């Protein structure tokens, strides 16, 4: 019985580690696609969304490291590597937020209009679907392991989901109305969310259990 329980727990941690690696890989691909298409179509919101995905990769590496530690039976309190990753993530989010805010303000002043935001719609719909699945699976694993850290990671994935919704709203809004400033306004919203993610990352690095704007245990089942 004890052996079966141990094997079950190890399998759950392997699943959690795999989910972390999938998240890292997806964010890398999403970042490259979004930055490339955003630059080609002069879509500021899609470009900023792609840069945000690259920053999420750093955070994902910290999560993957954490899961590997937990699998070895170590405590859930973050170690030096994870705190360093969080601080790097926080700093990168702050820089991204500042850059996007300045660029969006300049674009609004200049009356910039993207060539198209169709790819923003496509990327955001794919991202919403993928993040929804990740939240579900991470939550199930976290509940099965009774791990606040893994549940917090699942809950914080909602920030990525919200970013995708913002991208979808600004991209679809532009295609429907042709109002160029909607793309820049979407970029400003992404800048604000990036700033908030940066603040949360620094908070977690300083010992907060969950810096997300959501409960650590209320992610979707």
């Amino acid at each position: 019985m004890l052996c079966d329980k141990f094997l079950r727990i190890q399998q759950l941690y392997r699943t959690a580690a795999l989910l972390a690696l999938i998240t890292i890989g997806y964010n890398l691909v999403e970042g490259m696609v979004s930055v490339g298409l955003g630059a080609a179509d002069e879509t500021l919101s899609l470009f900023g969304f792609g840069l945000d995905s690259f920053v999420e990769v750093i955070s994902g590496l910290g999560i993957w490291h954490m899961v590997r530690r937990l699998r070895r039976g170590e405590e859930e309190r973050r170690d030096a590597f994870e705190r360093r990753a969080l601080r790097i993530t926080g700093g990168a989010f702050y820089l991204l937020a500042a850059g996007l805010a300045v660029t969006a303000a300049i674009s609004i002043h200049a009356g910039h209009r993207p060539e198209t935001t169709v790819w923003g719609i496509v990327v955001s719909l794919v991202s919403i679907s993928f993040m929804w699945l990740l939240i579900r699976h991470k939550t199930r694993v976290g509940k099965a392991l009774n791990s606040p850290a893994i549940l917090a990671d699942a809950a914080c994935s909602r920030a990525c989901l919200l970013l995708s919704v913002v991208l979808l709203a600004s991209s679809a809004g532009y295609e429907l109305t042709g109002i160029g400033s909607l793309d820049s306004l979407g970029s400003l919203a992404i800048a604000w969310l990036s700033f908030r993610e940066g603040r949360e990352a620094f908070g977690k690095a300083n010992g907060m259990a969950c810096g997300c704007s959501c409960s650590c245990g209320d992610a979707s089942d």
Side-chain angles (χ1 to χ4, degrees):
M1 182 68 71
L2 290 176
C3 182
D4 290 342
K5 183 178 180 180
F6 175 79
L7 292 175
R8 170 62 176 164
I9 290 174
Q10 289 298 303
Q11 179 60 48
L12 287 169
Y13 276 124
R14 281 194 292 269
T15 301
L18 178 60
L19 289 171
L21 289 174
I22 290 173
T23 304
I24 292 169
Y26 175 80
N27 278 320
L28 278 173
V29 174
E30 181 180 75
M32 289 186 290
V33 170
S34 299
V35 166
L37 293 173
D41 294 335
E42 299 182 1
T43 309
L44 185 57
S45 57
L46 181 57
F47 186 82
F49 182 80
L51 293 179
D52 186 278
S53 297
F54 285 135
V55 180
E56 293 288 355
V57 171
I58 305 172
S59 176
L61 288 171
I63 297 298
W64 176 70
H65 175 78
M66 176 197 71
V67 172
R68 293 178 69 239
R69 281 198 309 102
L70 295 179
R71 184 181 175 185
R72 295 195 297 266
E74 297 182 25
E75 60 182 6
E76 293 215 348
R77 188 173 60 183
R78 296 180 180 89
D79 66 4
F81 177 87
E82 291 156 31
R83 291 193 298 272
R84 190 178 305 114
L86 283 167
R87 291 190 179 100
I88 294 172
T89 300
F93 273 132
Y94 279 159
L95 288 173
L96 174 60
L100 286 177
V102 171
T103 305
I106 294 173
S107 296
I108 291 174
H109 178 73
H112 172 75
R113 294 165 57 92
E115 293 186 13
T116 179
T117 56
V118 170
W119 284 115
I121 296 173
V122 173
V123 170
S124 62
L125 288 174
V126 172
S127 182
I128 288 171
S129 302
F130 187 82
M131 286 300 159
W132 180 77
L133 288 172
L134 272 181
I135 291 170
R136 285 180 61 88
H137 288 297
K138 287 181 179 181
T139 300
R140 286 175 178 171
V141 171
K143 286 182 176 179
L145 289 169
N146 193 27
S147 170
I150 294 176
L151 285 172
D153 175 43
C156 289
S157 294
R158 288 184 174 181
C160 299
L161 186 63
L162 183 57
L163 281 166
S164 303
V165 171
V166 168
L167 177 62
L168 176 61
S170 62
S171 299
Y174 175 77
E175 288 299 318
L176 291 172
T177 66
I179 300 174
S181 60
L182 287 177
D183 177 56
S184 297
L185 290 175
S187 179
L188 281 175
I190 291 174
W192 164 245
L193 292 172
S194 295
F195 173 82
R196 193 173 68 174
E197 286 188 89
R199 183 178 59 193
E200 291 165 355
F202 277 115
K204 287 186 285 185
N206 292 329
M208 290 174 59
C210 181
C212 304
S213 302
C214 52
S215 171
C216 293
D218 68 350
S220 301
D221 290 331

